[in-house]
């Protein structure tokens, strides 16, 4: 079965640079979520989109922005990168056709290292 | 606000023995509860969920979990552990109507041969 695809898998950036992470949800999934997992920590919710509109917002810094496109893929844009942004960034997708009982399926993550 | 507690950083069990990974939650409203497993350098894999209905939920790879409303717990169990079950396990919760998952701090399961 098709899974959530994230690219790139690894990314190394310098401080103050920008980064763009991409997420391709499972086919026919209409909702995308972004999570950040710092070293040794649990995943923290950043933001989610449903049908290309932002639906929930978590602890996403103002330096970050995200959007969902017409083909349902999503991009997380990160600017003015800081050392503390080094983390594993997960994308998850789900389908609201499940009537609110949807399960989030996670991608393999993008490991961002800021030097 | 919703929260999840996993009181054990690590659980050690011998192969073939039963295992339990503990999880308690706090929400206002009806909880949707999930267990995910994370292998090194991998994403989170969905194991099972409780939405409504039977308190005992069966999931992937022989895992099951029991929802206990009075104790606000959702412990993960398996009758006979395998060495390949060694991984990091996360309990997560969201309320009906909400979307974002709140995760516990994770429990590292180590199954010794």
């Amino acid at each position: 079965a098709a899974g959530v695809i994230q690219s790139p898998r690894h990314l190394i950036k310098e401080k103050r640079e920008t980064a763009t992470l991409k997420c391709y949800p499972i086919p026919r999934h209409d909702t995308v979520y972004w999570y950040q997992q710092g070293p040794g920590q649990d995943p923290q919710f950043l933001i989610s989109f449903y049908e290309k509109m932002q639906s929930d917002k978590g602890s996403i810094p103002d330096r970050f922005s995200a959007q969902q496109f017409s083909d349902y893929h999503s991009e997380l844009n990160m600017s003015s990168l800081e050392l503390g942004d080094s983390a594993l960034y997960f994308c998850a997708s789900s389908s609201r056709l499940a009537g609110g009982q949807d399960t989030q399926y996670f991608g393999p993550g993008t490991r961002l290292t800021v030097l | 606000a919703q929260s999840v507690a996993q009181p054990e950083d690590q659980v050690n069990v011998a192969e073939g023995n039963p295992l339990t990974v503990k999880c308690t939650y706090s929400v206002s409203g009806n909880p949707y509860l999930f267990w995910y497993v994370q292998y090194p350098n991998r994403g989170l894999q969905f194991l099972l969920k409780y939405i409504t209905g039977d308190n005992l939920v069966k999931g992937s790879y022989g895992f099951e979990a029991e929802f206990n409303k009075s104790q606000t717990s959702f412990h993960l169990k398996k009758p006979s552990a395998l060495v390949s079950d060694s991984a990091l396990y996360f309990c997560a919760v969201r309320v009906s109507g909400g979307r974002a998952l709140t995760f516990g701090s994770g429990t590292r399961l180590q199954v010794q041969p």
Side-chain angles (χ1 to χ4, degrees):
Chain A
V4 177
I5 297 171
Q6 290 187 249
S7 67
R9 293 292 309 277
H10 302 273
L11 192 57
I12 299 175
K13 291 287 186 178
E14 300 277 343
K15 281 194 309 183
R16 292 179 289 278
E17 285 190 324
T18 62
T20 297
L21 279 53
K22 297 185 178 182
C23 168
Y24 297 86
I26 292 171
R28 291 179 294 281
H29 278 193
D30 49 29
T31 307
V32 167
Y33 311 79
W34 287 97
Y35 291 84
Q36 177 192 58
Q37 185 180 29
Q41 298 180 4
D42 57 288
Q44 295 290 317
F45 171 70
L46 294 178
I47 196 167
S48 65
F49 292 85
Y50 168 64
E51 286 289 347
K52 291 147 279 184
M53 298 287 289
Q54 181 183 308
S55 58
D56 282 301
K57 196 171 183 181
S59 52
I60 184 170
D62 291 340
R63 298 177 289 108
F64 294 7
S65 65
Q67 56 182 326
Q68 186 180 30
F69 295 86
S70 58
D71 64 350
Y72 293 98
H73 94 273
S74 178
E75 294 184 4
L76 178 66
N77 298 293
M78 311 160 72
S79 63
S80 303
L81 286 169
E82 302 172 357
L83 295 178
D85 295 329
S86 295
L88 195 52
Y89 290 83
F90 287 112
C91 173
S93 74
S94 72
S95 169
R96 293 201 182 184
L97 290 178
Q101 300 183 2
D102 49 303
T103 297
Q104 293 179 29
Y105 293 93
F106 284 76
T110 294
R111 184 169 296 282
L112 173 65
T113 303
V114 181
L115 302 176
Chain B
Q2 55 198 38
S3 65
V4 177
Q6 293 181 243
E8 303 153 316
D9 289 338
Q10 180 154 328
V11 169
N12 297 307
V13 65
E15 188 175 28
N17 282 0
L19 68 88
T20 298
V21 182
K22 295 180 180 177
C23 170
T24 58
Y25 65 90
S26 174
V27 299
S28 49
N30 293 321
Y32 291 175
L33 294 154
F34 303 80
W35 276 102
Y36 287 86
V37 59
Q38 186 176 30
Y39 293 96
N41 300 314
R42 302 281 296 276
L44 294 160
Q45 254 180 273
F46 169 71
L47 279 179
L48 50 81
K49 68 180 179 183
Y50 172 82
I51 301 297
T52 186
D54 287 342
N55 290 340
L56 185 63
V57 178
K58 293 187 184 297
S60 307
Y61 312 118
F63 284 94
E64 57 189 31
E66 187 165 12
F67 172 66
N68 187 317
K69 189 172 182 178
S70 62
Q71 297 185 4
T72 62
S73 68
F74 189 57
H75 301 332
L76 181 70
K77 300 182 180 185
K78 187 173 181 181
S80 178
L82 299 172
V83 172
S84 57
D85 292 330
S86 299
L88 187 56
Y89 290 79
F90 286 99
C91 181
V93 68
R94 68 175 176 89
V95 293
S96 59
R99 292 292 164 187
L101 289 173
T102 297
F103 286 86
S105 54
T107 298
R108 187 163 300 282
L109 174 67
Q110 195 69 40
V111 181
Q112 282 113 15

